[in-house]
Structure formats: structure tokens, C-alpha cells
Amino acid sequence: MRNAPIGISDFRKLRESDLLYVDKSLLIDQVLNAGADVLIFTRPRRFGKTMNISMLDAYLNQRYAGNNWFDGLKISEQRPQDPMKNAEVVIRLTFMFKFDGSYDTFLELVRERIRQSYMDHLYLQGSEVIPDSMKAKMQGVLCDNDAPLLSSLHDLCWMLFKHHGRRVIILIDEYDNPVNGSTGDDQTRILNFMSSLLSMAIKDNEALKFCVLTGVMRIAKESIFSGLNNLYVDDVFSNHPQEMFGFTKSDVISICDECEHPEKYDEIKEWYDGYRFGDVEIYNPWSVMNYISRGFEPDVYWGKTSGNKIIDRFLINSGDSFDHGLVALGKGDSVEMELDDSVTYSDFEVDECSLYSIMVMTGYLRAIPDGSEGTYLISIPNKEMRKVFSKHIMDRLRERTGLDASKFRNAVISGDPDKMISALTKMSMETVNIRLSKDHTSYQMFITGLMMDLEGDYFITSDFESGSGFHDLRMRRVRGNSPNVIIEFKDTSNGNPERISEDALAQIHRKQYYYGMTGRVLLYGVCIRENVPTITFEEMYLQG
């Protein structure tokens, strides 16, 4: 069994080390047959974008002639005598870096990235066909921190074309990362810089053969790609015959077989399946590989990596209607929504369409077309993402509204209705608007979303059949010593709240919602009236 390549995104190193590799080499054929001047591939972070850019470089770049990295891979069967293999002039550039979001730091990091690209082609300084004026520009990029950068990528491309007599391929990884990691005036300045840098390099450039860019989102409305007639875009909404990012079902089955643990497939599917790219079901590759390397132990692997600052920014500025949708998703429902594959970063007026579109593109949600053009059913894809959703999304919502989700969860499982009332009252006054407060279903959805963080220790269901009826919220313990929990919600505009909450508790008994549970069970009847909750509580013990 080969080891999983955790933390390795370099194709050459992976192949030379004989690590576990899921063959995505047919992406090369897809790129070469596209016939486009510019190709953009967008996927969530850690879904194989850097590995694939590295693979394209390894296959096309003349610097690596004579390698055996592609022996036994599908591309060698598809293109057995490929004249382009290791015969092309390639510029490879990455904008994947962590920074503080400031324009000055960004400029410093970009300068270093471009300097590294120039270092790969130092032989140009001795070229007899490169004018001295261009050599001076090259020397300035290599040595002068004040050298102009906007034309540097175009200039390098032109010099390589003149020297080799062949048009140049540019490969750019994570082109949108600097924009994602910034806000306000810094973001506007970074966006303008990136637009100028890339536009000069890829538009009407006779020295360019084609350019491939990867990123999380397509910055389509910001003029970076405006005016390009021969543009190929492959994003999470695109339909292509084969998916070259992430793992497919057959990929995961093959991995389980190679690891001699075919019985682990169902667990991998429960935790890491559920993404939808076009019409293909996709597993999170980062989480699958970590699951294998950690001895087949399920955990939140993708969610523990660096997050997306733009999601936090948009959540802070979201409104009540978006909150309501988040609650529905946390409950486990699907939400119908119009989505847009283009993102306008300069638009600070956030709407639901932009928010949910970004959450789909960044990997928090899955989207399935519902039959109407541009309209999708969005949902949380899998168990890992339900945990990420609860911690990242619901806690961001808690920070904005003041509701302490962890304290509320602790009150529920410790059998403390007074603390629950305190938290619910705060929620009612600060989170749920008057329209929603008249509907107990909104509270049910919100609270179910808050409790989803306990999945793993609990099997949590809402509006699901149990006993002789359909419970509002049922939490059956699956591990540990915590109690089982059942909550029934009711609302009223008249009548006695205490009596109605008692009726809710009586309904739990009457319908036997606790059927199948064993051990300690906490029962809550909750009545909501004009933002004020009333709770009737009971504790019981069921023999196995």
C-alpha cells in the first residue's frame, strides 16, 4: 500500500516518491483540445488545483524532457506520441500566499513570486536576440525592489518568445487568492493591479500560446477577462464528461481497495461525499487522503485548514432573510435559490444570490439544478460539512447576533431550562425578527441548526417520524454518556404559555417520540409567545 501524499501538491515529487495518486492526467488532454486562449478552472480550496497545475507544467515544460512521471497514466495511452510533451516554453506562477490583506504586503509578495519566475529563465540575459533594453528590465525585476511590475509578466513572455521562437504557455495557480484575502480599499487596489497585470499578459499577446488559471472563484465582472472571445471556463456549475478535480465514486472505491479496506467506503461516503460539480458527485480529496493517513479515523480535516475570509466578511453584512436560509440549511433542509457563477467583488451591497453562490463555489454547500435556468437546490453536502457549517457559519451568526451557541447547547444537554430560556430570550430579542417570532418553525429550524455541532455524539433529526408521530427535534445519543434529548415546539398568540408548553411535553409522551432510546432522556416542551419562551422540562430513564 502506497502512502497518502499529505501536504504534497507537487506532481513531480509525488510521482518520484511513489505515493498514492489518483490519476487526473486526462485534464492535460482536456486543456490541449479546448483550443482556447485562456482557460479558467475554479474549485474549492484543496480540491487538487495546485496538483493539476503542477502536472500540466511537468507534462508540457521543455525543462523536464526525458522524465517517466507519466508512465502508466491515462494520458500516455490517450496521447502516446504527443509532440507537445516536454516541448513547450512554460511560465509557471502562483499567487497562493498568506498575507495580512494589505496592498503593500501583497505587492511585496507578488514581486517575489514574479522574481522567482524570472529566475527560472536567467539564460535570457545571455540571449543574442533580446534587446539590451529588455535585459535591463529583466535585471530590474531581479534586483530592484522599485522596478515596475505591471508589464513584467508580459515582458517575460515576449522575451521567451523571441529567444525560443515559440509561443509561450502561462500557468497561474490561485489567481484570485489575493482578492479573496483582502477587503475595502486594499481589495480595490489589489483587484486593479491584478486586472492590469493579467490583462497585459493574456489579451492580444502574440507571444502567448495559451494561459491556464486556477482559483476558487471566477472574477468575471471585474474586467480581468472582459474582451476575451476565446475563453474556456470550467467551474462547479459546468458540465463536462469527466471530473478532473476531487475524487469520484470509482476513485474512492479504488483507493479503498488499494488500502485493503473496502469496508471503509460507506464511512468515507457519509463524511466526505456529496459535492456536486456539474452532474458528477464528488468526494473531498483532502479529507479522504487525511482520513486514510490517520488510520481511517473520520474527522473534520478540510474544515481545520485555512478558511475563506470573504465568507466571514459577507456573513457579517448579511441580513435576516439570509439568516433564515442558514437556519434551514442547518436543520438539514434544501433551499431553492438562484445562483450566479460570476462574482463582483467591488459590490459591497451583498444579496442572497451572491452569498449562496460564493458558499457553493468555496465548498460549504452543494447545488443541484432544479429545472429552471439559474435556479438550484442548495444543501449541506456531508457529515464533515455539517460540522463545519455549525462551527463556522452558525458561530459567525452567533457572533453577529450575540447568541452564545455553545452555552445554549450545554444548557440543553445538562437539563437546565432556565439557562435555555435566557439564551432563547436573547435570541428572540436580537436575532429573530417579529415576522419570524410568530412562527415556532423558525425557532425549531434555528435551534436545530445550533445543535448540529453535536453530530457525531448524537444522531439528530427534525420533522422526522418516531413513535406514532413526527417529532420537532430528536437527539439520540450514539456515543459517550450524554443524555438523549427531545424538544417539541409550539407557539401561541393567546392562551396560557405554561399550559401550552405542558401540552407540548405531553405530546412527546403521547406520541412516544423517545421510542428506541435507552438510558437518560431529557424532554422539553417549548412555547414561544411574542419573543418570550416558556419551557416545561422532564427527565426520564428508559431501560434497554
Side-chain angles (χ1 to χ4, degrees):
M1 169 184 163
R2 292 175 292 174
N3 292 327
I6 304 303
I8 297 177
S9 56
D10 185 280
F11 176 83
R12 294 171 294 153
K13 182 177 181 179
L14 184 148
R15 295 294 286 169
E16 289 173 349
S17 302
D18 194 29
L19 298 171
L20 185 61
Y21 175 64
V22 175
D23 189 352
K24 299 295 179 180
S25 62
L26 288 181
L27 174 68
I28 299 167
D29 191 61
Q30 184 177 331
V31 167
L32 298 182
N33 287 334
D37 294 332
V38 178
L39 301 92
I40 305 172
F41 295 91
T42 62
R43 293 295 187 278
R45 56 189 169 86
R46 300 192 183 275
F47 268 74
K49 299 187 297 296
T50 300
M51 177 67 74
N52 281 342
I53 282 286
S54 174
M55 176 184 68
L56 286 167
D57 183 39
Y59 187 85
L60 296 169
N61 201 325
Q62 62 182 5
R63 296 172 58 194
Y64 308 127
N67 70 77
N68 62 354
W69 302 323
F70 295 90
D71 292 356
L73 299 186
K74 295 175 184 178
I75 190 62
S76 295
E77 299 176 10
Q78 185 75 9
R79 306 173 71 97
Q81 302 294 328
D82 189 357
M84 294 185 70
K85 186 175 187 294
N86 296 126
E88 302 298 326
V89 183
V90 177
I91 297 173
R92 181 180 170 191
L93 186 62
T94 179
F95 291 106
M96 174 47 67
F97 45 68
K98 293 182 180 180
F99 74 117
D100 60 8
S102 71
Y103 178 75
D104 290 341
T105 303
F106 156 78
L107 213 58
E108 180 181 342
L109 291 169
V110 168
R111 186 180 300 279
E112 182 57 34
R113 290 291 192 272
I114 292 176
R115 182 180 289 124
Q116 289 171 4
S117 293
Y118 271 66
M119 290 287 290
D120 290 337
H121 305 282
L122 286 176
Y123 57 86
L124 293 173
Q125 291 182 311
S127 175
E128 297 180 354
V129 297
I130 303 297
D132 289 341
S133 60
M134 295 302 295
K135 291 180 181 178
K137 277 191 172 184
M138 182 176 185
Q139 188 66 25
V141 172
L142 290 169
C143 302
D144 185 0
N145 287 333
D146 294 323
L149 290 178
L150 289 180
S151 66
S152 59
L153 189 55
H154 174 274
D155 292 344
L156 179 58
C157 186
W158 185 87
M159 286 187 285
L160 288 169
F161 174 61
K162 287 295 183 182
H163 179 81
H164 293 282
R166 294 199 302 275
R167 290 189 297 156
V168 178
I169 296 171
I170 298 178
L171 305 176
I172 300 178
D173 190 27
E174 302 289 0
Y175 82 98
D176 62 334
N177 176 63
V179 182
N180 290 346
S182 57
T183 60
D185 291 340
D186 285 306
Q187 184 181 75
T188 300
R189 296 179 69 189
I190 289 171
L191 184 59
N192 290 337
F193 178 96
M194 293 295 295
S195 180
S196 297
L197 177 74
L198 295 178
S199 295
M200 291 183 68
I202 66 181
K203 291 182 182 179
D204 302 320
N205 183 359
E206 294 182 356
L208 179 67
K209 190 166 191 174
F210 63 82
C211 176
V212 180
L213 304 100
T214 70
V216 173
M217 287 174 282
R218 174 187 171 194
I219 313 176
K221 296 179 181 177
E222 301 291 357
S223 81
I224 290 180
F225 306 114
S226 63
L228 287 173
N229 296 321
N230 198 10
L231 177 66
Y232 177 99
V233 177
D234 185 327
D235 57 27
V236 298
F237 304 106
S238 303
N239 287 307
H240 293 285
Q242 300 183 73
E243 179 51 53
M244 295 292 104
F245 296 84
F247 293 164
T248 64
K249 177 180 178 180
S250 59
D251 292 334
V252 175
I253 290 174
S254 296
I255 291 171
C256 291
D257 289 343
E258 176 166 342
C259 295
E260 299 181 348
H261 282 284
E263 79 283 356
K264 295 295 184 180
Y265 170 75
D266 288 339
E267 187 169 59
I268 294 176
K269 179 176 178 60
E270 177 188 13
W271 274 80
Y272 308 120
D273 186 19
Y275 293 92
R276 180 76 170 245
F277 298 164
D279 58 358
V280 182
E281 288 284 336
I282 293 296
Y283 295 69
N284 185 318
W286 173 263
S287 293
V288 171
M289 286 300 189
N290 274 274
Y291 169 86
I292 292 168
S293 70
R294 303 294 177 88
F296 307 95
E297 181 68 29
D299 200 353
V300 179
Y301 296 113
W302 184 88
K304 291 178 179 178
T305 61
S306 58
N308 296 283
K309 292 182 179 179
I310 196 164
I311 288 286
D312 293 336
R313 172 195 166 208
F314 282 173
L315 286 175
I316 290 171
N317 293 285
S318 64
D320 288 331
S321 60
F322 182 69
D323 296 349
H324 190 49
L326 288 181
V327 171
L329 292 169
K331 177 187 170 187
D333 290 344
S334 295
V335 176
E336 185 178 73
M337 182 61 56
E338 290 187 8
L339 301 179
D340 186 357
D341 63 0
S342 303
V343 178
T344 305
Y345 285 105
S346 60
D347 183 7
F348 291 97
E349 295 297 324
V350 178
D351 57 29
E352 281 189 321
C353 177
S354 297
L355 285 162
Y356 285 117
S357 299
I358 289 171
M359 292 178 73
V360 169
M361 288 186 280
T362 52
Y364 286 92
L365 299 173
R366 67 179 275 162
I368 300 177
D370 75 343
S372 303
E373 185 175 355
T375 304
Y376 296 81
L377 288 176
I378 59 175
S379 59
I380 300 174
N382 52 46
K383 191 169 184 176
E384 178 185 34
M385 287 313 302
R386 284 196 295 273
K387 286 182 170 291
V388 172
F389 183 91
S390 178
K391 281 189 171 296
H392 186 83
I393 305 298
M394 297 306 292
D395 284 356
R396 289 298 301 180
L397 182 59
R398 170 185 58 78
E399 288 174 14
R400 187 165 61 79
T401 61
L403 175 64
D404 192 320
S406 62
K407 288 183 178 179
F408 176 77
R409 287 191 288 263
N410 290 337
V412 171
I413 63 176
S414 63
D416 193 331
D418 290 337
K419 288 184 179 179
M420 288 175 60
I421 289 173
S422 176
L424 282 173
T425 299
K426 195 171 186 180
M427 176 189 73
S428 301
M429 298 299 182
E430 300 182 10
T431 305
V432 184
N433 60 33
I434 296 299
R435 177 179 59 83
L436 296 181
S437 70
K438 296 179 180 179
D439 179 9
H440 81 273
T441 303
S442 300
Y443 285 91
Q444 175 189 337
M445 292 166 60
F446 192 90
I447 290 171
T448 301
L450 292 178
M451 302 309 292
M452 293 302 290
D453 188 50
L454 299 177
E455 275 216 345
D457 294 329
Y458 286 94
F459 177 63
I460 302 174
T461 54
S462 180
D463 285 332
F464 199 80
E465 186 174 6
S466 61
S468 59
F470 289 80
H471 59 256
D472 282 344
L473 176 56
R474 186 178 193 261
M475 300 169 51
R476 179 175 60 82
R477 182 190 64 250
V478 294
R479 67 182 182 187
N481 299 318
S482 297
N484 302 287
V485 175
I486 299 173
I487 305 178
E488 188 68 18
F489 297 88
K490 292 188 180 297
D491 54 14
T492 182
S493 58
N494 52 52
N496 186 295
E498 287 80 8
R499 180 182 59 77
I500 294 173
S501 66
E502 290 170 359
D503 288 344
L505 186 65
Q507 181 176 320
I508 296 175
H509 286 291
R510 187 170 62 253
K511 300 291 187 178
Q512 292 189 316
Y513 292 150
Y514 40 73
Y515 180 80
M517 290 179 167
T518 59
R520 188 171 167 229
V521 185
L522 306 183
L523 313 178
Y524 298 95
V526 180
C527 175
I528 303 295
R529 182 195 226 181
E530 296 180 353
N531 297 322
V532 178
T534 301
I535 299 178
T536 300
F537 168 71
E538 181 181 333
E539 181 176 350
M540 61 186 300
Y541 190 89
L542 297 175
Q543 296 290 338

